[in-house]
Amino acid sequence: MVVAGDDALAHRLAAELRDVYGERVTLIVPSALEPHRPRIPPPARALGRATALLGRMSAAMARTSPLPSERTSPLPPEAPGDGEGPPEATLRILEAAQPDDAALIEAGIAEAGALALVHDDDELNIHAALRARRLNPRLRLVIRLYNRKLGQHLEELLDQAAAVAGRGAEPAGDADAVSDDASTTVLSDADTVAPALAATAVAGTSKVIEADGLLLRAVERAPVPPGRPGDPGLCTLALFSASVNDPADASSSGAGDEGPVLLPDDAAVEAAIGCGTVVLETVSYTGRTARPRGLRGRGAPLTSLFSRRLRWSLAGVVGAVLALAVASWLTTGEKPLHAAYLSLLDLFAINDPAIGAPLPRKILQLLSGLTGLLLLPVLVAAAFEGLGTFRSASALRRPPRGLSGHVVLLGLGKVGTRVLARLHEMGIPVVCIEGDPEARGIALARRLRVPTVLGDVTQEGVLEAAMIERAAALLALTSEDTTNLEAALYARSVTPRLRVTLRLFDDRFATAVYRTLRAAHPGALTRSRSTSFLSAPAFAGAMMGRQILGAIPVERRVLLVARVEVRGHAALEGRTVAEVLRPGRLRVLAVDTSAPDAPEPDAAAAPAPADAERAPAHLVHELGDDYVLRPQDRVLLVATRQGLGDLHSRRARAAAGAAVRRD
């Protein structure tokens, strides 16, 4: 694996690939002394951060040779049935101003399995991706881009280039395998961290995996006393050995001392007594949801155009006009329609004076004129209120009275904008705070009609304007560590039990803040996270393959969460969910059944991309174990490395057998 970047995400990603997946990694970083790289910290600070992230790093980094100090001990072999990991996970540091042809060749791009380009400069990542695809058409590419539309076009372009190169270099039967292996994935760190930060606001945890509209998290459960039923969640991912909790009960457990039992079946879970478990749960919001208010669509209801007092005034004037018309009809003997017409003429002062008319007619004309004088200010007020309503439709909303249980989102930059969109999709009430009126997320907040407070959060009264005293959580997501910390401290002084999540860049600073806040407020939930910390697992999973959504570490082993198309897999197509289950290796979690029952031939030949917008998947307990998987379905499964490898090897063998039969 090759990683090229210029900030903390590159270091996090290299550590994730080495420590979690056990891969050999080459990290390409620019020189820390270059003046045109202001994001790279000074050498001493860079060395300290790299030490915390990747282990001890030599001060004199060799340009090409592997660093002995960066070499980790080999990962322990997995349990029987799980296969063995890579022989040795190493890290090699390579200094280069930018990932040009010379740097990529020196990093061994021709033999690499995947390349991640995570520079903060979109243009630099695009140029490097084009070079890498030309140097190695089989390479799996993961590119960091913020522009979604540009990312989609770039994926299509690079995938097409890989397919063309694969057909030219390989036999016809292997062209599909080449194109599958040489996939291109474009990710944004802001998009990848948004579900985790939203989950922090909902459930107080950021260790989640987003998959097909579902938010999943792995939770460690303590042993359940005998006779008391436990909550298995969606499924039990692992059983810890009983000796971890009580050595005396080791003989009675279903799990031995050799390590946790991964993906046990129901019988093993029921037989395990006194064992801790790792279960999978869904993350959902159970509080008060945000109700749409104000203008919606192109039209506007009367209640939003005019105030209640003005509506009552208009109703009173209309009632007076009707009363005058009825009185004129009764006293003058005119027809009802003509009497109403005369009353309106008197009301607007365009009728002739009632000189020589009977006394009742004179009195009604005077009353109609007086009513017309009262109507004039009401009409002017209605005009001003209607104009003000339409003008405020494009302005930022203020937090409504009585709001409580909401999330206060501090910062509407690149990350805050994505988190705001995610929270709005989940129906969670949000109040935003932003000091820059031209910030990236202001337009989104205005369009979604989300209450927003413009002001410096370090000034008094800004957090109070966001009703922090009645909020459920605070997400401080600005790019300034001190601003986030100051807002968190002040919010905790107002609401000691407030749930707080801080975005902090410096790891040592984040650790100190976390420990201090937990010590000062033990009853409140505090989380300190960085964008690189939350987004690195998603980038690492994409490097392992487009279908890998994330990894769940279980002690010294790892479970992979993957999204797989049923079509072409003999172990999935036409089988029930219960038949697919392979204890210790593979388990189906959910099934996406949004595809039609009879897809068109062209659509079947070209499946939708993995990141296409589709309906949320159905969990297994909603469909039942007897559900038969269709070719157009897409399954969400959790598997060991060996289980996922067996699934793809069986598919490869089936494809090879079909090719032989065709020949």
Side-chain angles (χ1 to χ4, degrees):
M1 302 292 176
V2 180
V3 179
D6 58 355
D7 58 5
L9 178 57
H11 298 283
R12 291 280 189 188
L13 178 54
E16 184 83 8
L17 291 170
R18 185 194 64 176
D19 298 336
V20 177
Y21 293 96
E23 296 290 338
R24 293 174 295 173
V25 185
T26 297
L27 177 61
I28 305 176
V29 293
S31 174
L33 300 178
E34 291 187 4
H36 65 282
R37 295 284 181 183
R39 292 180 61 88
I40 300 299
R45 184 179 178 187
L47 185 60
R49 182 175 296 132
T51 301
L53 296 175
L54 308 174
R56 298 191 330 172
M57 185 177 293
S58 174
M61 292 186 296
R63 184 171 179 80
T64 57
S65 60
L67 296 179
S69 60
E70 289 300 328
R71 191 179 298 273
T72 61
S73 59
L75 293 180
E78 296 186 354
D82 291 337
E84 295 185 357
E88 190 172 13
T90 60
L91 175 65
R92 185 163 68 106
I93 305 297
L94 178 65
E95 285 192 16
Q98 59 181 358
D100 52 10
D101 288 354
L104 292 175
I105 293 174
E106 195 169 359
I109 200 66
E111 297 81 19
L115 168 65
L117 299 167
V118 293
H119 288 83
D120 200 26
D121 186 353
D122 287 1
E123 184 177 356
L124 181 60
N125 291 333
I126 294 174
H127 289 173
L130 296 176
R131 294 191 188 99
R133 179 61 77 210
R134 175 175 52 83
L135 294 174
N136 185 356
R138 293 175 173 268
L139 187 68
R140 182 182 298 119
L141 288 175
V142 179
I143 310 170
R144 174 186 182 183
L145 289 181
Y146 184 79
N147 192 325
R148 292 179 176 178
K149 293 184 178 180
L150 178 60
Q152 293 176 358
H153 294 312
L154 186 63
E155 278 190 6
E156 296 174 0
L157 175 64
L158 294 176
D159 284 345
Q160 184 178 1
V164 172
R167 286 194 296 268
E170 297 293 334
D174 297 337
D176 294 339
V178 172
S179 61
D180 289 344
D181 184 63
S183 62
T184 303
T185 304
V186 177
L187 296 176
S188 168
D189 52 346
D191 287 331
T192 55
V193 304
L197 293 173
T200 304
V202 174
T205 180
S206 59
K207 297 179 180 179
V208 299
I209 296 175
E210 183 185 22
D212 292 336
L214 302 173
L215 285 179
L216 308 174
R217 64 172 177 176
V219 181
E220 294 187 10
R221 296 269 180 88
V224 179
R228 180 182 301 179
D231 183 10
L234 294 180
C235 67
T236 301
L237 298 178
L239 295 173
F240 292 118
S241 58
S243 58
V244 173
N245 305 289
D246 187 1
D249 293 338
S251 59
S252 62
S253 70
D257 294 335
E258 63 275 5
V261 178
L262 301 182
L263 301 179
D265 55 9
D266 295 339
V269 174
E270 295 177 358
I273 301 176
C275 294
T277 59
V278 178
V279 300
L280 196 66
E281 296 179 344
T282 56
V283 178
S284 59
Y285 178 69
T286 57
R288 181 184 303 176
T289 58
R291 293 180 299 177
R293 299 179 62 182
L295 298 178
R296 297 187 62 185
R298 295 185 178 181
L302 185 64
T303 56
S304 64
L305 280 176
F306 306 118
S307 64
R308 187 175 183 180
R309 182 180 301 176
L310 182 61
R311 295 198 303 270
W312 278 109
S313 300
L314 289 173
V317 171
V318 172
V321 172
L322 292 177
L324 290 173
V326 173
S328 177
W329 168 49
L330 295 177
T331 56
T332 60
E334 299 286 345
K335 294 181 179 179
L337 186 60
H338 186 67
Y341 174 71
L342 292 178
S343 298
L344 290 177
L345 292 179
D346 294 336
L347 182 71
F348 297 116
I350 57 178
N351 197 8
D352 294 333
I355 299 176
L359 181 61
R361 170 68 182 136
K362 294 180 179 180
I363 295 175
L364 290 176
Q365 190 176 55
L366 292 176
L367 292 177
S368 298
L370 179 61
T371 305
L373 293 177
L374 297 177
L375 178 62
L376 181 60
V378 175
L379 294 178
V380 173
F384 277 107
E385 281 201 5
L387 179 61
T389 300
F390 280 106
R391 292 185 61 183
S392 62
S394 60
L396 295 172
R397 284 187 58 200
R398 301 291 297 177
R401 295 181 180 179
L403 181 65
S404 62
H406 57 285
V407 176
V408 177
L409 176 60
L410 174 58
L412 289 177
K414 185 171 64 174
V415 176
T417 302
R418 296 290 195 252
V419 175
L420 172 60
R422 183 68 185 180
L423 292 174
H424 186 268
E425 292 175 359
M426 299 175 67
I428 301 175
V430 185
V431 175
C432 301
I433 301 177
E434 177 56 51
D436 183 10
E438 303 297 329
R440 188 190 300 267
I442 291 295
L444 179 63
R446 182 182 293 112
R447 180 169 58 86
L448 298 179
R449 303 287 295 156
V450 175
T452 304
V453 178
L454 289 177
D456 187 357
V457 72
T458 60
Q459 302 295 327
E460 294 185 3
V462 176
L463 281 174
E464 284 82 356
M467 300 182 181
I468 193 65
E469 67 278 0
R470 289 187 286 180
L474 170 66
L475 296 178
L477 305 181
T478 69
S479 57
E480 298 291 336
D481 288 3
T482 55
T483 301
N484 295 334
L485 177 60
E486 185 173 354
L489 294 177
Y490 184 75
R492 277 285 170 83
S493 66
V494 176
T495 308
R497 299 185 63 86
L498 181 68
R499 181 184 299 159
V500 173
T501 300
L502 303 176
R503 177 190 177 189
L504 300 177
F505 181 80
D506 189 90
D507 292 326
R508 297 176 180 177
F509 182 56
T511 302
V513 169
Y514 173 77
R515 292 175 178 175
T516 304
L517 288 178
R518 287 302 302 268
H521 303 279
L525 187 62
T526 304
R527 291 291 182 268
S528 57
R529 293 290 184 264
S530 67
T531 303
S532 59
F533 180 89
L534 296 176
S535 58
F539 280 83
M543 292 188 72
M544 300 301 297
R546 178 181 285 179
Q547 63 191 6
I548 303 296
L549 302 178
I552 301 175
V554 181
E555 292 185 355
R556 296 288 295 173
R557 293 148 77 182
V558 63
L559 292 173
L560 302 177
V561 180
R563 179 199 292 118
V564 178
E565 299 284 348
V566 173
R567 189 181 307 276
H569 287 87
L572 300 177
E573 189 173 348
R575 299 178 181 271
T576 64
V577 174
E579 292 173 347
V580 174
L581 173 63
R582 301 183 65 193
R585 294 195 178 188
L586 184 70
R587 175 186 287 271
V588 176
L589 300 176
V591 182
D592 183 357
T593 61
S594 59
D597 292 334
E600 297 294 334
D602 295 340
D611 56 353
E613 294 184 0
R614 305 173 70 168
H618 296 281
L619 297 173
V620 168
H621 68 79
E622 297 174 348
L623 296 174
D625 293 337
D626 297 333
Y627 177 80
V628 180
L629 297 177
R630 307 173 302 168
Q632 63 269 26
D633 287 343
R634 185 170 62 176
V635 297
L636 180 69
L637 51 87
V638 57
T640 62
R641 288 196 188 103
Q642 184 65 30
L644 195 60
D646 291 345
L647 183 65
H648 290 288
S649 63
R650 293 179 64 182
R651 181 186 187 185
R653 288 194 299 267
V660 171
R661 288 192 297 271
R662 287 196 301 269
D663 294 340

